[in-house]
Amino acid sequence: MTIEERIKASETRIFKTVFPNNTNHYDTLFGGSAMAMMDEVAFITATRFTRKRMVTVSSDRIDFNKPIPAGTIIELVGTVSHIGNTSMKVLVEIFIEEMYSFVREKAITGTFTFVAIDEHKHPVKVVD
């Protein structure tokens, strides 16, 4: 499988409903909850790409462009954006979908960096 095919095959899409237990006092998705979901999707994407042990080493930048109200559906999309020697970056976007209409818009974008490790927690090559 080529690198391009692996990138395409590792794209990860997860849908969730924003319930009140994940919202703040403004009745919008709590930023920490969004970041945790994004890190999970980024981890799945990185693992699907490498099929190796991966650890998060940083969240490089997260832009909260629109609040995500309770009672909406969100889609998290993870895509490999950079491949290094022992590290890689995953772009994660969160889209809001209104539950009872076809309105859809991008709300949050973030980049996460991962390192591939062996069973002794030493860095290894992302791609052999």
Side-chain angles (χ1 to χ4, degrees):
M1 186 180 290
T2 68
I3 295 295
E4 292 78 18
E5 289 169 334
R6 285 174 67 176
I7 289 171
K8 185 175 169 101
S10 66
E11 181 179 89
T12 302
R13 295 175 175 269
I14 294 178
F15 291 86
K16 294 190 173 280
T17 304
V18 179
F19 288 112
N21 64 320
N22 281 326
T23 60
N24 58 27
H25 56 291
Y26 296 113
D27 205 28
T28 60
L29 182 65
F30 179 62
S33 296
M35 290 172 64
M37 288 186 257
M38 292 173 79
D39 186 35
E40 180 180 2
V41 168
F43 168 77
I44 293 168
T45 304
T47 302
R48 292 179 70 210
F49 177 80
T50 63
R51 298 297 173 173
K52 296 182 179 184
R53 293 177 180 90
M54 301 300 290
V55 292
T56 307
V57 294
S58 72
S59 54
D60 302 338
R61 180 181 176 116
I62 299 175
D63 293 318
F64 297 85
N65 297 314
K66 294 192 176 292
I68 300 175
T72 55
I73 297 168
I74 58 173
E75 180 184 18
L76 296 100
V77 181
T79 310
V80 173
S81 60
H82 174 78
I83 304 159
N85 186 32
T86 60
S87 67
M88 62 182 293
K89 292 182 184 281
V90 176
L91 172 69
V92 180
E93 299 171 306
I94 299 182
F95 295 89
I96 307 168
E97 292 187 9
E98 291 182 11
M99 203 168 289
Y100 304 112
S101 76
F102 293 100
V103 173
R104 175 184 165 91
E105 56 188 335
K106 191 186 315 183
I108 304 174
T109 304
T111 304
F112 295 79
T113 302
F114 290 84
V115 169
I117 58 171
D118 64 16
E119 62 274 3
H120 304 292
K121 300 182 180 154
H122 297 116
V124 296
K125 290 187 178 209
V126 171
V127 179
D128 293 323

